[in-house]
Amino acid sequence: MKITIIGAGNMGGAAALGLAKKGAAEITVTARHEQTLKKFEGTGVKCLTDNKAAVKDAQIVIIAVKPWIVPDVIAEIKPVLDYKTQQIVSFAPGVKAEDLLAQLKDGKEGEPRLSYVIPNTAIEVGESMTFVSPVTAEEKDAEILNDIFSTVGVSMIVPQKLMIAGTGLASCGIAYALRYIRAAAEGGVETGFYAKDATAIVAQTVKGAAALLLEHKSHPEAEIDKVTTPGGMTIKGLNAMEAAGFTDAVIKGVKAGK
Ligand SMILES: NC(=O)c1ccc[n+]([C@@H]2O[C@H](COP(=O)([O-])OP(=O)(O)OC[C@H]3O[C@@H](n4cnc5c(N)ncnc54)[C@H](OP(=O)(O)O)[C@@H]3O)[C@@H](O)[C@H]2O)c1
């Protein structure tokens, strides 16, 4: 399987590195500047600055540039795309499906098999939460994408109506989780740890909390009950966080991007 990713930035670059590490497919990635492609040296990722040449042999073409650059990229590669043999994927949830389809179809024969794939940056380390959301792609196309992105974390096929909600929870969500880690580490510095140690401690603690939920398939509150001794430190800490609006702030944050 050959995959070409147009755009080697935070998301496209992370996906290229993650997928190549797992040997999930032959990966080609493009960028405007040679300098951007330096980070792929020795990774097995093929690098080009010529988008047309890069998409020619690919079975899957992923567009991973900023939303306002998407129309230019589509206009550039459209003449060499073949909608019968190639799936088209957008990493950009900010560009509407109808706009993408209109741009892909304008002046070209055939029906593009279009899907969105929304990973998060943990794809680079094989721990992405990825959503595959078909637009005009067939079921088997979505399954192929789901299988590929399952090699670099957990991948889930969702209908279009859930794609933006998924983006908020998982792609933006990684930033929310990191902000918690930073905040907790700042608390740790106040209680006596060096910042570097506090960050490592909180990161491992969050990893442990996630592992408990994923392995036990339990409710967060069931795991919380196990660590809240009556009158103890944990319940005092939780209640102080809630008094400052913790749950409310997180729900508001998750909903704000919609
Ligand atoms: N970051 C995330 O967590 C995340 C999550 C899900 C989806 N997304 C989506 O992914 C897309 C990319 O975001 P990003 O954060 O990765 O952006 P980014 O870091 O700014 O990277 C964009 C990349 O596109 C390249 N590029 C720009 N114009 C190009 C062109 N005409 N042909 C080929 N390559 C071109 C740039 O190359 P140069 O460096 O050489 O200029 C750069 O490497 C966005 O639509 C975003 O919404 C991002």
Side-chain angles (χ1 to χ4, degrees), residues 6-12 30-33 36 51 64-67 69 73 76 91-93 118-121 171:
I6 309 277
N10 292 316
M11 201 60 250
T30 73
R32 280 176 304 189
H33 308 99
T36 304
N51 289 334
V65 293
K66 291 289 187 201
I69 299 172
V73 164
E76 184 188 355
F91 265 11
I118 311 298
N120 63 33
T121 45
S171 295

Side-chain angles (χ1 to χ4, degrees), residues 102-235:
Q103 289 156 19
L104 287 163
K105 282 160 98 167
D106 184 34
K108 189 168 171 78
E109 293 280 300
E111 279 297 317
R113 287 142 56 208
L114 175 68
S115 297
Y116 286 87
V117 170
I118 311 298
N120 63 33
T121 45
I123 196 168
E124 185 175 339
V125 290
E127 290 289 354
S128 179
M129 177 65 234
T130 303
F131 296 97
V132 172
S133 188
V135 180
T136 50
E138 293 161 17
E139 210 180 306
K140 68 173 188 318
D141 294 325
E143 273 159 18
I144 288 169
L145 293 173
N146 204 41
D147 286 347
I148 290 168
F149 285 92
S150 293
T151 64
V152 279
V154 173
S155 182
M156 185 187 279
I157 300 177
V158 295
Q160 277 285 290
K161 65 174 184 183
L162 280 179
M163 189 191 70
I164 295 298
T167 304
L169 265 185
S171 295
C172 309
I174 208 158
Y176 306 152
L178 288 164
R179 186 56 68 84
Y180 165 79
I181 290 172
R182 192 197 78 179
E186 281 175 2
V189 174
E190 233 186 282
T191 57
F193 284 98
Y194 284 107
K196 194 164 140 283
D197 294 336
T199 304
I201 290 164
V202 181
Q204 175 58 31
T205 304
V206 168
K207 190 177 170 192
L212 277 174
L213 287 183
L214 293 172
E215 260 191 48
H216 293 171
K217 300 196 188 330
S218 50
H219 190 283
E221 218 52 45
E223 300 296 342
I224 287 172
D225 271 351
K226 294 178 193 169
V227 295
T228 44
T229 307
M233 284 171 74
T234 314
I235 192 64

Side-chain angles (χ1 to χ4, degrees), residues 76-90:
E76 184 188 355
I77 62 175
K78 194 163 49 175
V80 292
L81 290 177
D82 179 350
Y83 297 150
K84 283 203 193 77
T85 58
Q86 296 179 309
Q87 281 205 62
I88 314 298
V89 168
S90 171

